[in-house]
Amino acid sequence: MSQAYLGNLGLSRAIASKAELKPAKRVIGQRQDVWSIVNEAAAASTIQPIINMGQGFFGYNPPKFVLDAAKAALDQVPCNQYSPTKGRPRLRKALAVAYSPYFGRQIDPDTEIVVTTGANEGMLSAFMGFVEPGDEVIIFEPFFDQYISNIQMPGGVIKYVPLQPPKNGANETSSAADWTLDIQNLKNAITAKTKMIVLNTPHNPVGKVFSKSELQSIGDICVENNIIILSDEVYDRLYYVPFSRIATLSPEIARLTLTVGSVGKNFYCTGWRVGWLIGPPHLISPVSAAHTRICFSSPSPLQEAAAVGFELAESNGFWDESKQEMRAKMQRFNKIWTELGLPYSDPEGGYFVLVNMKKVQLPTGYNFPPHVQERPRDFKLAWFLIMELGVAAIPPTEFYTAENAHLAEDYLRFAVCKDDDMLDEAKERLRGLKKYITG
Protein backbone atom coordinates (compact mmCIF):
# COMPACT_ATOMS: atom_id res chain seq x y z
CA MET A 1 0.00 0.00 0.00
CA SER A 2 1.58 3.26 -1.15
CA GLN A 3 2.50 6.12 1.11
CA ALA A 4 0.39 8.43 -1.11
CA TYR A 5 -2.68 6.22 -0.63
CA LEU A 6 -2.17 6.11 3.11
CA GLY A 7 -1.73 9.88 3.15
CA ASN A 8 -4.92 10.47 1.19
CA LEU A 9 -6.79 7.99 3.38
CA GLY A 10 -5.65 9.82 6.49
CA LEU A 11 -6.64 13.17 5.00
CA SER A 12 -10.07 11.84 4.03
CA ARG A 13 -10.63 10.50 7.52
CA ALA A 14 -9.51 13.81 9.03
CA ILE A 15 -11.94 15.74 6.81
CA ALA A 16 -14.75 13.32 7.63
CA SER A 17 -13.92 13.56 11.32
CA LYS A 18 -14.09 17.36 11.21
CA ALA A 19 -17.42 17.21 9.41
CA GLU A 20 -18.84 15.03 12.17
CA LEU A 21 -17.86 17.35 15.03
CA LYS A 22 -21.09 19.27 15.16
CA PRO A 23 -22.23 20.74 18.46
CA ALA A 24 -25.69 19.91 19.74
CA LYS A 25 -28.46 22.22 18.61
CA ARG A 26 -29.29 22.99 22.22
CA VAL A 27 -26.08 25.00 22.66
CA ILE A 28 -26.03 26.78 19.31
CA GLY A 29 -27.39 30.33 19.44
CA GLN A 30 -28.97 31.85 16.37
CA ARG A 31 -27.58 35.31 17.05
CA GLN A 32 -24.92 37.08 19.05
CA ASP A 33 -25.94 37.36 22.70
CA VAL A 34 -26.27 40.65 24.56
CA TRP A 35 -23.27 40.05 26.81
CA SER A 36 -20.81 39.67 23.94
CA ILE A 37 -22.26 42.74 22.19
CA VAL A 38 -21.86 44.86 25.33
CA ASN A 39 -18.31 43.57 25.83
CA GLU A 40 -17.51 44.30 22.19
CA ALA A 41 -18.71 47.88 22.54
CA ALA A 42 -16.84 48.29 25.83
CA ALA A 43 -13.59 47.19 24.19
CA ALA A 44 -14.11 49.51 21.20
CA SER A 45 -15.12 52.64 23.13
CA THR A 46 -12.58 55.45 23.36
CA ILE A 47 -13.94 56.34 26.80
CA GLN A 48 -12.16 54.18 29.36
CA PRO A 49 -12.63 52.71 31.82
CA ILE A 50 -16.22 51.78 31.07
CA ILE A 51 -18.62 52.08 33.99
CA ASN A 52 -20.44 48.75 33.97
CA MET A 53 -23.99 49.43 35.14
CA GLY A 54 -25.26 46.52 33.07
CA GLN A 55 -24.37 43.26 34.74
CA GLY A 56 -25.68 42.52 38.20
CA PHE A 57 -22.45 41.78 40.01
CA PHE A 58 -21.59 43.76 43.13
CA GLY A 59 -18.98 46.49 43.20
CA TYR A 60 -17.98 45.70 46.79
CA ASN A 61 -17.15 42.76 49.04
CA PRO A 62 -19.40 40.60 51.23
CA PRO A 63 -19.73 41.67 54.89
CA LYS A 64 -16.66 41.02 57.02
CA PHE A 65 -18.28 38.26 59.10
CA VAL A 66 -18.95 36.29 55.91
CA LEU A 67 -15.50 36.90 54.43
CA ASP A 68 -13.86 35.87 57.70
CA ALA A 69 -15.91 32.68 57.72
CA ALA A 70 -14.77 31.86 54.17
CA LYS A 71 -11.13 32.36 55.11
CA ALA A 72 -11.51 30.23 58.23
CA ALA A 73 -13.24 27.46 56.27
CA LEU A 74 -10.19 27.07 54.03
CA ASP A 75 -8.17 25.98 57.07
CA GLN A 76 -10.58 23.13 57.85
CA VAL A 77 -9.77 19.82 56.17
CA PRO A 78 -13.42 18.71 55.68
CA CYS A 79 -14.25 22.05 54.04
CA ASN A 80 -11.73 21.37 51.30
CA GLN A 81 -13.29 18.04 50.34
CA TYR A 82 -16.58 16.94 48.76
CA SER A 83 -19.71 17.98 50.62
CA PRO A 84 -22.80 15.77 50.77
CA THR A 85 -24.61 16.10 47.47
CA LYS A 86 -27.66 17.74 49.10
CA GLY A 87 -25.43 20.29 50.81
CA ARG A 88 -23.43 20.62 54.00
CA PRO A 89 -25.59 19.83 57.03
CA ARG A 90 -24.60 23.07 58.75
CA LEU A 91 -25.83 25.16 55.81
CA ARG A 92 -29.07 23.22 55.42
CA LYS A 93 -29.75 23.63 59.15
CA ALA A 94 -28.93 27.36 58.98
CA LEU A 95 -31.30 27.78 56.03
CA ALA A 96 -34.05 25.89 57.85
CA VAL A 97 -33.64 28.10 60.92
CA ALA A 98 -33.57 31.26 58.81
CA TYR A 99 -36.58 30.45 56.60
CA SER A 100 -38.92 28.47 58.86
CA PRO A 101 -40.35 31.69 60.39
CA TYR A 102 -41.13 33.06 56.92
CA PHE A 103 -42.80 29.83 55.84
CA GLY A 104 -44.83 29.60 59.02
CA ARG A 105 -43.74 26.03 59.72
CA GLN A 106 -40.64 24.05 60.60
CA ILE A 107 -38.64 23.25 57.45
CA ASP A 108 -36.89 19.86 57.56
CA PRO A 109 -33.25 20.47 56.58
CA ASP A 110 -32.79 16.82 55.56
CA THR A 111 -35.78 16.38 53.25
CA GLU A 112 -36.95 19.88 52.24
CA ILE A 113 -33.72 21.65 51.25
CA VAL A 114 -31.11 20.97 48.58
CA VAL A 115 -28.01 23.16 48.19
CA THR A 116 -26.97 23.80 44.59
CA THR A 117 -24.10 25.33 42.66
CA GLY A 118 -25.77 28.70 42.39
CA ALA A 119 -29.47 29.36 41.97
CA ASN A 120 -29.12 28.89 38.22
CA GLU A 121 -27.92 25.29 38.57
CA GLY A 122 -30.69 24.75 41.08
CA MET A 123 -33.28 25.81 38.52
CA LEU A 124 -31.63 23.64 35.86
CA SER A 125 -31.87 20.73 38.31
CA ALA A 126 -35.58 21.46 38.81
CA PHE A 127 -36.20 21.39 35.06
CA MET A 128 -34.07 18.27 34.64
CA GLY A 129 -35.88 16.62 37.52
CA PHE A 130 -39.40 17.18 36.18
CA VAL A 131 -39.52 18.24 32.54
CA GLU A 132 -39.81 15.56 29.87
CA PRO A 133 -39.44 16.26 26.12
CA GLY A 134 -42.60 18.05 24.98
CA ASP A 135 -43.64 19.23 28.44
CA GLU A 136 -44.56 22.92 28.50
CA VAL A 137 -43.15 25.50 30.91
CA ILE A 138 -44.72 28.96 31.23
CA ILE A 139 -42.50 31.97 31.88
CA PHE A 140 -43.31 35.67 32.09
CA GLU A 141 -41.72 38.23 29.80
CA PRO A 142 -39.32 39.83 30.42
CA PHE A 143 -37.46 36.77 31.70
CA PHE A 144 -34.02 35.95 33.08
CA ASP A 145 -32.28 34.70 29.94
CA GLN A 146 -30.88 31.55 31.57
CA TYR A 147 -34.41 30.18 31.96
CA ILE A 148 -34.58 29.56 28.23
CA SER A 149 -31.60 27.25 27.82
CA ASN A 150 -32.32 25.53 31.13
CA ILE A 151 -35.82 24.61 30.00
CA GLN A 152 -34.72 23.57 26.54
CA MET A 153 -31.94 21.29 27.81
CA PRO A 154 -34.37 18.53 28.90
CA GLY A 155 -36.61 19.13 25.86
CA GLY A 156 -39.13 21.48 27.42
CA VAL A 157 -41.34 23.74 25.31
CA ILE A 158 -41.62 27.34 26.50
CA LYS A 159 -44.87 29.28 26.57
CA TYR A 160 -44.52 33.03 27.05
CA VAL A 161 -46.89 35.36 28.89
CA PRO A 162 -45.81 39.02 28.79
CA LEU A 163 -46.12 41.48 31.64
CA GLN A 164 -47.79 44.62 30.32
CA PRO A 165 -45.64 47.76 30.82
CA PRO A 166 -47.04 50.97 32.32
CA LYS A 167 -49.37 52.61 29.81
CA ASN A 168 -47.70 56.00 30.19
CA GLY A 169 -44.20 54.69 30.87
CA ALA A 170 -42.66 56.84 28.13
CA ASN A 171 -43.83 60.05 29.78
CA GLU A 172 -43.87 59.61 33.53
CA THR A 173 -42.13 57.69 36.26
CA SER A 174 -44.28 55.01 37.83
CA SER A 175 -44.01 52.08 40.20
CA ALA A 176 -42.67 48.75 38.98
CA ALA A 177 -46.00 47.42 40.25
CA ASP A 178 -47.54 48.96 37.14
CA TRP A 179 -46.03 46.17 35.05
CA THR A 180 -49.08 43.94 35.22
CA LEU A 181 -49.92 40.31 34.56
CA ASP A 182 -53.11 39.58 32.63
CA ILE A 183 -54.42 36.53 34.46
CA GLN A 184 -56.62 35.58 31.52
CA ASN A 185 -53.53 35.46 29.29
CA LEU A 186 -51.95 33.10 31.80
CA LYS A 187 -55.01 30.86 31.79
CA ASN A 188 -55.03 30.85 28.00
CA ALA A 189 -51.41 29.66 27.94
CA ILE A 190 -52.18 26.52 29.94
CA THR A 191 -52.67 23.24 28.12
CA ALA A 192 -52.75 19.58 29.07
CA LYS A 193 -48.95 19.58 28.56
CA THR A 194 -48.21 22.40 31.03
CA LYS A 195 -45.82 21.04 33.66
CA MET A 196 -44.43 24.11 35.36
CA ILE A 197 -44.71 27.88 35.78
CA VAL A 198 -41.63 29.98 36.56
CA LEU A 199 -42.23 32.97 38.80
CA ASN A 200 -39.62 35.63 39.64
CA THR A 201 -40.27 37.98 42.55
CA PRO A 202 -38.69 40.45 43.19
CA HIS A 203 -38.44 40.51 39.43
CA ASN A 204 -35.37 40.91 37.22
CA PRO A 205 -35.28 43.21 35.26
CA VAL A 206 -38.53 45.00 36.16
CA GLY A 207 -38.09 45.31 39.94
CA LYS A 208 -41.70 44.27 40.49
CA VAL A 209 -42.71 42.52 43.71
CA PHE A 210 -45.77 40.47 42.88
CA SER A 211 -48.61 41.34 45.23
CA LYS A 212 -50.23 38.78 47.49
CA SER A 213 -53.39 38.86 45.37
CA GLU A 214 -51.40 38.30 42.16
CA LEU A 215 -49.58 35.37 43.76
CA GLN A 216 -52.85 33.93 45.03
CA SER A 217 -54.32 34.03 41.52
CA ILE A 218 -51.26 32.32 40.06
CA GLY A 219 -51.24 29.74 42.85
CA ASP A 220 -54.94 28.96 42.49
CA ILE A 221 -54.48 28.34 38.76
CA CYS A 222 -51.59 25.98 39.47
CA VAL A 223 -53.56 24.07 42.09
CA GLU A 224 -56.51 23.73 39.72
CA ASN A 225 -54.26 22.36 36.96
CA ASN A 226 -51.68 20.53 39.12
CA ILE A 227 -48.78 22.66 37.82
CA ILE A 228 -45.43 22.93 39.60
CA ILE A 229 -44.41 26.47 40.64
CA LEU A 230 -40.71 27.29 40.43
CA SER A 231 -40.49 30.52 42.42
CA ASP A 232 -37.22 32.34 41.76
CA GLU A 233 -36.81 34.48 44.88
CA VAL A 234 -33.07 35.21 44.71
CA TYR A 235 -33.68 38.88 45.60
CA ASP A 236 -35.81 37.93 48.59
CA ARG A 237 -33.81 40.08 51.03
CA LEU A 238 -34.07 43.20 48.87
CA TYR A 239 -37.67 44.35 48.92
CA TYR A 240 -38.98 47.86 49.56
CA VAL A 241 -42.71 47.06 49.74
CA PRO A 242 -44.48 44.16 51.49
CA PHE A 243 -43.13 40.87 50.12
CA SER A 244 -45.14 37.64 50.08
CA ARG A 245 -43.85 34.15 49.31
CA ILE A 246 -46.18 32.12 47.16
CA ALA A 247 -45.34 28.91 49.04
CA THR A 248 -46.88 30.39 52.21
CA LEU A 249 -50.34 31.16 50.80
CA SER A 250 -51.93 27.74 51.32
CA PRO A 251 -50.95 24.09 51.92
CA GLU A 252 -52.26 23.27 48.44
CA ILE A 253 -49.97 25.84 46.82
CA ALA A 254 -47.04 24.84 49.04
CA ARG A 255 -47.38 21.24 47.82
CA LEU A 256 -46.57 22.45 44.29
CA THR A 257 -43.89 25.04 45.04
CA LEU A 258 -40.11 25.00 44.82
CA THR A 259 -38.56 28.20 46.20
CA VAL A 260 -35.15 29.23 44.84
CA GLY A 261 -32.59 31.24 46.83
CA SER A 262 -29.08 32.60 46.32
CA VAL A 263 -26.14 33.12 48.66
CA GLY A 264 -24.57 35.34 45.99
CA LYS A 265 -27.47 37.79 45.98
CA ASN A 266 -27.93 37.66 49.77
CA PHE A 267 -24.29 38.28 50.73
CA TYR A 268 -22.84 40.21 47.74
CA CYS A 269 -20.82 37.26 46.40
CA THR A 270 -22.18 36.26 43.00
CA GLY A 271 -18.94 34.44 42.18
CA TRP A 272 -19.36 31.93 45.00
CA ARG A 273 -22.04 29.97 43.14
CA VAL A 274 -24.02 28.68 46.11
CA GLY A 275 -27.80 28.51 45.98
CA TRP A 276 -30.62 26.37 47.30
CA LEU A 277 -34.15 25.14 46.77
CA ILE A 278 -36.78 24.72 49.48
CA GLY A 279 -39.87 22.58 48.92
CA PRO A 280 -41.78 19.50 50.01
CA PRO A 281 -39.89 16.18 49.92
CA HIS A 282 -41.71 14.88 46.83
CA LEU A 283 -40.39 17.89 44.86
CA ILE A 284 -36.93 18.18 46.45
CA SER A 285 -36.05 14.51 45.90
CA PRO A 286 -36.13 14.64 42.04
CA VAL A 287 -34.30 17.99 42.07
CA SER A 288 -31.63 16.52 44.31
CA ALA A 289 -31.27 13.50 42.03
CA ALA A 290 -30.76 15.75 39.00
CA HIS A 291 -28.33 17.98 40.91
CA THR A 292 -26.26 14.92 41.83
CA ARG A 293 -25.90 14.01 38.17
CA ILE A 294 -25.16 17.56 37.00
CA CYS A 295 -22.38 18.51 39.41
CA PHE A 296 -22.53 16.06 42.37
CA SER A 297 -21.83 18.68 45.02
CA SER A 298 -21.21 22.38 45.52
CA PRO A 299 -18.18 24.34 46.84
CA SER A 300 -17.57 23.18 50.40
CA PRO A 301 -15.73 26.13 52.00
CA LEU A 302 -18.22 28.60 50.56
CA GLN A 303 -21.15 26.55 51.84
CA GLU A 304 -19.56 26.66 55.29
CA ALA A 305 -19.12 30.41 55.05
CA ALA A 306 -22.71 30.82 53.90
CA ALA A 307 -23.89 28.82 56.90
CA VAL A 308 -22.03 31.19 59.22
CA GLY A 309 -23.52 34.09 57.28
CA PHE A 310 -27.06 32.94 57.95
CA GLU A 311 -26.26 32.15 61.57
CA LEU A 312 -24.92 35.65 62.22
CA ALA A 313 -26.79 37.91 59.78
CA GLU A 314 -29.78 38.65 62.00
CA SER A 315 -27.75 39.41 65.12
CA ASN A 316 -25.45 41.65 63.07
CA GLY A 317 -28.43 43.58 61.74
CA PHE A 318 -27.26 42.71 58.25
CA TRP A 319 -30.62 42.06 56.54
CA ASP A 320 -32.09 45.43 57.47
CA GLU A 321 -28.83 47.19 56.72
CA SER A 322 -28.43 45.61 53.28
CA LYS A 323 -31.99 46.51 52.33
CA GLN A 324 -31.59 50.11 53.49
CA GLU A 325 -28.26 50.49 51.73
CA MET A 326 -29.54 49.14 48.42
CA ARG A 327 -32.64 51.30 48.57
CA ALA A 328 -30.41 54.32 49.24
CA LYS A 329 -28.25 53.42 46.22
CA MET A 330 -31.37 53.16 44.09
CA GLN A 331 -32.57 56.59 45.19
CA ARG A 332 -29.10 58.10 44.80
CA PHE A 333 -28.72 56.86 41.23
CA ASN A 334 -32.26 57.51 40.04
CA LYS A 335 -31.96 61.23 40.76
CA ILE A 336 -30.20 61.53 37.41
CA TRP A 337 -33.33 60.45 35.54
CA THR A 338 -35.41 63.09 37.29
CA GLU A 339 -32.75 65.63 36.41
CA LEU A 340 -32.77 64.57 32.75
CA GLY A 341 -36.56 64.26 32.56
CA LEU A 342 -36.39 60.57 31.65
CA PRO A 343 -39.08 58.39 33.27
CA TYR A 344 -38.27 55.08 34.94
CA SER A 345 -39.99 52.20 36.70
CA ASP A 346 -39.36 52.77 40.40
CA PRO A 347 -38.31 49.32 41.69
CA GLU A 348 -40.15 47.59 44.51
CA GLY A 349 -37.28 45.18 45.03
CA GLY A 350 -33.91 43.96 43.74
CA TYR A 351 -31.18 46.21 42.38
CA PHE A 352 -32.15 46.85 38.77
CA VAL A 353 -33.97 49.85 37.35
CA LEU A 354 -35.62 50.11 33.92
CA VAL A 355 -35.33 53.57 32.35
CA ASN A 356 -37.50 54.65 29.42
CA MET A 357 -35.40 56.43 26.80
CA LYS A 358 -37.98 57.15 24.15
CA LYS A 359 -37.09 60.86 24.48
CA VAL A 360 -33.44 60.14 23.57
CA GLN A 361 -32.94 60.96 19.89
CA LEU A 362 -30.10 58.91 18.41
CA PRO A 363 -28.10 60.87 15.79
CA THR A 364 -29.24 60.25 12.22
CA GLY A 365 -26.84 58.01 10.34
CA TYR A 366 -24.95 56.92 13.47
CA ASN A 367 -22.54 54.11 12.58
CA PHE A 368 -23.91 51.01 14.28
CA PRO A 369 -22.38 47.64 13.33
CA PRO A 370 -24.74 45.38 11.31
CA HIS A 371 -25.43 42.98 14.21
CA VAL A 372 -26.58 45.95 16.32
CA GLN A 373 -28.40 47.74 13.52
CA GLU A 374 -30.66 44.72 12.98
CA ARG A 375 -31.64 44.49 16.64
CA PRO A 376 -34.38 46.51 18.40
CA ARG A 377 -33.83 50.15 19.39
CA ASP A 378 -32.66 49.35 22.92
CA PHE A 379 -29.57 47.60 21.53
CA LYS A 380 -28.70 50.77 19.63
CA LEU A 381 -29.26 52.83 22.78
CA ALA A 382 -26.97 50.53 24.77
CA TRP A 383 -24.26 50.64 22.10
CA PHE A 384 -24.52 54.44 21.90
CA LEU A 385 -24.22 54.92 25.68
CA ILE A 386 -21.08 52.79 25.80
CA MET A 387 -19.42 54.41 22.81
CA GLU A 388 -20.32 58.04 23.55
CA LEU A 389 -20.63 58.17 27.36
CA GLY A 390 -18.68 55.16 28.59
CA VAL A 391 -21.63 53.74 30.55
CA ALA A 392 -22.80 50.17 29.99
CA ALA A 393 -26.45 49.17 30.40
CA ILE A 394 -28.40 46.14 29.24
CA PRO A 395 -31.06 46.24 26.49
CA PRO A 396 -34.04 44.38 27.96
CA THR A 397 -35.44 43.09 24.65
CA GLU A 398 -32.83 40.36 25.14
CA PHE A 399 -35.30 39.06 27.73
CA TYR A 400 -38.22 38.92 25.28
CA THR A 401 -39.38 36.91 22.31
CA ALA A 402 -39.27 38.75 18.98
CA GLU A 403 -43.07 38.95 19.05
CA ASN A 404 -43.12 40.98 22.26
CA ALA A 405 -39.81 42.85 22.04
CA HIS A 406 -41.65 46.05 21.10
CA LEU A 407 -42.86 46.28 24.70
CA ALA A 408 -39.36 47.14 25.92
CA GLU A 409 -37.49 48.59 22.94
CA ASP A 410 -37.24 52.06 24.53
CA TYR A 411 -35.95 50.84 27.90
CA LEU A 412 -32.49 50.14 29.29
CA ARG A 413 -31.65 48.21 32.45
CA PHE A 414 -29.15 49.61 34.98
CA ALA A 415 -27.75 47.78 38.02
CA VAL A 416 -27.15 49.92 41.12
CA CYS A 417 -25.24 47.32 43.17
CA LYS A 418 -22.05 49.35 42.80
CA ASP A 419 -20.12 51.56 45.19
CA ASP A 420 -21.33 55.14 45.57
CA ASP A 421 -18.36 56.67 43.78
CA MET A 422 -19.14 54.61 40.70
CA LEU A 423 -22.81 55.59 40.85
CA ASP A 424 -21.84 59.26 41.05
CA GLU A 425 -19.40 58.96 38.14
CA ALA A 426 -22.07 57.19 36.07
CA LYS A 427 -24.50 60.03 36.81
CA GLU A 428 -21.94 62.60 35.73
CA ARG A 429 -21.35 60.80 32.44
CA LEU A 430 -25.07 60.32 31.84
CA ARG A 431 -25.53 64.09 31.93
CA GLY A 432 -24.02 63.90 28.47
CA LEU A 433 -27.43 62.66 27.28
CA LYS A 434 -28.93 66.14 27.69
CA LYS A 435 -28.13 67.23 24.15
CA TYR A 436 -29.87 64.17 22.71
CA ILE A 437 -33.13 64.49 24.68
CA THR A 438 -36.18 65.91 22.95
CA GLY A 439 -39.73 66.56 24.07
Side-chain angles (χ1 to χ4, degrees), residues 71-397:
K71 294 171 185 176
L74 291 171
D75 289 329
Q76 302 176 43
V77 173
C79 290
N80 289 296
Q81 311 307 320
Y82 296 124
S83 286
T85 185
K86 289 187 70 173
R88 296 186 70 75
R90 184 177 183 179
L91 177 53
R92 284 186 279 123
K93 179 181 178 182
L95 287 167
V97 170
Y99 281 92
S100 289
Y102 295 115
F103 281 68
R105 63 179 183 82
Q106 185 59 48
I107 296 170
D108 188 329
D110 295 322
T111 64
E112 295 185 300
I113 297 176
V114 59
V115 175
T116 59
T117 308
N120 187 42
E121 188 267 318
M123 288 184 278
L124 174 61
S125 295
F127 296 130
M128 287 293 193
F130 285 99
V131 176
E132 297 280 10
D135 284 347
E136 294 176 355
V137 179
I138 295 174
I139 66 175
F140 302 143
E141 295 181 275
F143 46 77
F144 177 52
D145 53 344
Q146 290 292 310
Y147 295 161
I148 306 303
S149 57
N150 286 354
I151 294 168
Q152 292 173 340
M153 281 281 183
V157 176
I158 304 169
K159 297 289 187 176
Y160 301 91
V161 177
L163 297 178
Q164 298 300 318
K167 292 181 179 179
N168 203 25
N171 298 309
E172 62 184 24
T173 293
S174 59
S175 170
D178 292 337
W179 290 72
T180 56
L181 173 65
D182 186 324
I183 292 297
Q184 189 57 51
N185 283 348
L186 175 57
K187 291 180 179 179
N188 293 342
I190 293 172
T191 72
K193 296 181 180 180
T194 305
K195 190 67 168 285
M196 189 180 292
I197 287 177
V198 181
L199 172 69
N200 180 206
T201 181
H203 188 278
N204 170 19
V206 170
K208 175 185 176 70
V209 171
F210 281 77
S211 68
K212 188 173 182 179
S213 62
E214 288 174 316
L215 296 177
Q216 188 70 56
S217 297
I218 295 168
D220 290 344
I221 290 170
C222 291
V223 170
E224 181 181 349
N225 294 277
N226 201 36
I227 297 169
I228 297 168
I229 303 165
L230 185 61
S231 188
D232 178 356
E233 300 179 10
V234 298
Y235 303 100
D236 71 329
R237 299 289 180 168
L238 296 173
Y239 56 89
Y240 320 122
V241 297
F243 172 60
S244 298
R245 302 173 188 274
I246 194 168
T248 67
L249 299 186
S250 75
E252 294 78 15
I253 294 174
R255 182 184 69 83
L256 296 169
T257 302
L258 287 163
T259 300
V260 184
S262 167
V263 168
K265 300 300 193 297
N266 282 174
F267 292 116
Y268 318 155
C269 50
T270 58
W272 285 20
R273 311 313 298 149
V274 178
W276 68 86
L277 277 77
I278 297 174
H282 65 274
L283 295 184
I284 288 295
S285 181
V287 174
S288 181
H291 163 70
T292 301
R293 288 153 180 80
I294 292 169
C295 61
F296 184 69
S297 68
S298 301
S300 298
L302 303 180
Q303 287 191 56
E304 192 74 5
V308 174
F310 278 104
E311 291 166 359
L312 299 181
E314 195 73 52
S315 61
N316 277 268
F318 174 72
W319 300 128
D320 288 339
E321 179 183 299
S322 65
K323 189 189 307 181
Q324 292 165 6
E325 286 185 354
M326 193 64 74
R327 184 58 174 155
K329 287 179 181 295
M330 189 71 71
Q331 293 170 339
R332 183 189 195 104
F333 181 65
N334 285 341
K335 287 179 181 178
I336 187 61
W337 310 123
T338 302
E339 178 183 327
L340 294 173
L342 294 176
Y344 60 93
S345 289
D346 192 14
E348 298 180 303
Y351 49 65
F352 296 111
V353 58
L354 285 179
V355 182
N356 192 296
M357 296 205 169
K358 190 171 184 177
K359 294 178 182 178
V360 175
Q361 185 69 45
L362 295 172
T364 303
Y366 191 84
N367 186 27
F368 294 106
H371 57 281
V372 174
Q373 185 66 49
E374 68 186 12
R375 301 294 284 271
R377 184 172 184 268
D378 59 335
F379 272 78
K380 300 177 186 67
L381 285 163
W383 184 275
F384 183 77
L385 257 65
I386 294 171
M387 298 300 290
E388 303 302 324
L389 304 180
V391 177
I394 295 299
T397 60

Side-chain angles (χ1 to χ4, degrees), residues 40-48 50 385-390:
E40 176 191 349
S45 178
T46 58
I47 303 175
Q48 298 292 339
I50 299 296
L385 257 65
I386 294 171
M387 298 300 290
E388 303 302 324
L389 304 180

